[in-house]
Amino acid sequence: MSDVVRDLERVIRQRQADMPEGSYTASLFRDGTQRIAQKVGEEGVEVVIAALAQDDGRLTSEMADLFYHSLVLLADRGLSWADVEAVFIQRAQ
């Protein structure tokens, strides 16, 4: 796992534990799993639109948003990127 992903997961989990006011991440956790999943879906659609009709900068920006919201969803479910990596490793065998 890259340091960037590790650091992002750490911040997400910290926001989940501390629930600071004014934090977008904490607001997602407050809104619950349904809202977080909805954001993942919205970002997925935005990735598709960027891939088909926008430039590479927009695509990478939307992919970053999708990845971030996916990490929030994983944390909400008590999972982490390491759990996803384990699936990749299993599939590669």
Side-chain angles (χ1 to χ4, degrees), residues 7-24:
D7 291 346
L8 182 55
E9 271 196 319
R10 182 185 52 76
V11 169
I12 289 169
R13 291 195 183 279
Q14 185 175 15
R15 298 291 191 274
Q16 185 181 28
D18 299 343
M19 299 297 272
E21 289 298 321
S23 164
Y24 175 69

Side-chain angles (χ1 to χ4, degrees), residues 52-70:
L52 296 175
Q54 297 172 337
D55 64 23
D56 290 348
R58 186 65 180 185
L59 176 59
T60 56
S61 177
E62 294 300 343
M63 287 295 294
D65 290 346
L66 176 60
F67 190 72
Y68 159 78
H69 286 92
S70 295

